[in-house]
Amino acid sequence: MTTSVVAPARARTAVPEPDVDAAPEQHAPAAQEVRRPAARRVALLLRRPTFVLSAVVLAVWVFGALTWPLFGLDPFGRAGANLAPPSLAHLFGTDYLGRDVFARVVAGAGSALLVGPIGAVLATVLGSAVGLLCGYYRGPVDAAFMRLFDVLVVLPPLIVIVVLVGAFGVGTPALILIVALVFAPGIARIIRAATLAELGKSYVISARLQGESGPAIIVREILPNVFPTVLIQATLSLAAAIFMTASLSFLGLGSQPPSPDWGLSISDNRIYIQSAWWTVVFPALAVASVITATHLLADNIKEVSA
């Protein structure tokens, strides 16, 4: 009879009450584990020459886009003879209307670094929010969103863009919205997958045992752990958005004359590429430098976050 009484007592002590009491102690290091690697990642990034060089390239373009009027550059007025080759007077030559190509390339960074980045940020915010919510709560809403995103992802982007341009127009706010709508579904799918991978980890289980609400768990626990993925997707979307913005202008669906937009400059001067190569090459190199620098930033962030 003694053993029959002791055995149930041991069974009752096996209930995981101590684990719940210890959860706050386990929970605090989980938050610290998110913050400490972040500082190390930044330090590692700053030691990478490709990251620093890419950041400098983007900073130079941003500086030029913001300050070109202060240096007396005129991207709209006639500066010399038509199609004059590069010289000390005109470093990048002139275009078919005699406008200074250097001034237009520097000023053109404004439109490239306005529509693309803002659209990419909006796409990242929308996509990340939908991905986190769908991944955490799942259910029929998640299934409906994912099926819709599956359809949008497989559609040819050019067709989607043309339809959206026809619906919203070609103004700057419309182009920003179009960029966001094009890239948000892909970001949502990736963030949803990253969220699903985090749900079974101890820090999420600990937060649930402490009675934290779903939104609190998403914002305080899951988001910091999937943030490197969010940052990588934002950087990749930025490069793609800049390229898409230039492509829209090249096709006549984006910026309109006399804008110094890089894509529009390439389109306007492409017929002179054999006789006046500088009118096309320098705007094209500007586009390539921004996209390459952005991709290198994303690659470095991905490698450091792995």
Side-chain angles (χ1 to χ4, degrees):
M1 294 297 292
T2 304
T3 56
S4 63
V5 173
V6 173
R10 290 179 180 174
R12 281 194 293 271
T13 58
V15 176
E17 293 178 357
D19 293 336
V20 177
D21 295 335
E25 297 178 2
Q26 297 173 357
H27 184 58
Q32 294 175 0
E33 288 175 3
V34 175
R35 295 188 184 96
R36 274 183 292 210
R40 287 199 294 267
R41 291 189 197 109
V42 173
L44 289 173
L45 286 173
L46 294 178
R47 295 174 189 169
R48 289 172 166 252
T50 53
F51 177 85
V52 174
L53 179 60
S54 301
V56 169
V57 169
L58 292 178
V60 168
W61 282 120
V62 171
F63 177 79
L66 295 176
T67 63
W68 64 264
L70 302 178
F71 293 94
L73 298 178
D74 183 6
F76 304 106
R78 184 179 179 86
N82 296 350
L83 303 176
S87 62
L88 293 178
H90 305 289
L91 296 179
F92 291 177
T94 61
D95 65 5
Y96 70 103
L97 293 177
R99 298 172 297 191
D100 189 85
V101 175
F102 177 79
R104 291 183 64 78
V105 168
V106 174
S111 59
L113 299 176
L114 175 65
V115 175
I118 296 178
V121 169
L122 182 58
T124 303
V125 172
L126 292 176
S128 298
V130 173
L132 285 165
L133 292 173
C134 290
Y136 184 82
Y137 290 107
R138 289 172 285 185
V141 176
D142 170 41
F145 268 109
M146 289 306 106
R147 298 298 78 75
L148 174 62
F149 290 164
D150 287 342
V151 173
L152 294 177
V153 168
V154 300
L155 286 176
L158 185 59
I159 295 178
V160 176
I161 292 170
V162 171
V163 171
L164 292 176
V165 167
F168 298 108
V170 295
T172 298
L175 291 176
I176 292 173
L177 180 60
I178 289 170
V179 170
L181 292 177
V182 168
F183 292 106
I187 295 174
R189 287 164 55 88
I190 293 173
I191 301 305
R192 173 183 176 271
T195 302
L196 291 174
E198 298 293 321
L199 289 182
K201 294 186 177 180
S202 59
Y203 73 93
V204 176
I205 298 174
S206 175
R208 284 174 171 170
L209 288 174
Q210 294 181 77
E212 291 190 24
S213 63
I217 293 175
I218 292 173
V219 174
R220 298 175 187 172
E221 313 296 338
I222 298 178
L223 179 58
N225 285 276
V226 302
F227 185 75
T229 303
V230 173
L231 185 58
I232 292 168
Q233 292 305 311
T235 311
L236 291 174
S237 298
L238 172 60
I242 292 173
F243 181 76
M244 190 182 82
T245 303
S247 300
L248 287 174
S249 298
F250 180 83
L251 296 173
L253 301 175
S255 300
Q256 301 298 313
S259 170
D261 182 271
W262 293 335
L264 182 61
S265 296
I266 295 172
S267 177
D268 287 345
N269 293 281
R270 67 185 186 278
I271 61 175
Y272 306 107
I273 189 170
Q274 292 184 342
S275 58
W277 55 267
W278 54 89
T279 60
V280 174
V281 169
F282 287 119
L285 288 176
V287 176
S289 67
V290 171
I291 294 175
T292 302
T294 308
H295 273 295
L296 288 174
L297 287 179
D299 290 341
N300 279 279
I301 294 172
K302 184 176 181 180
E303 291 173 4
V304 170
S305 301

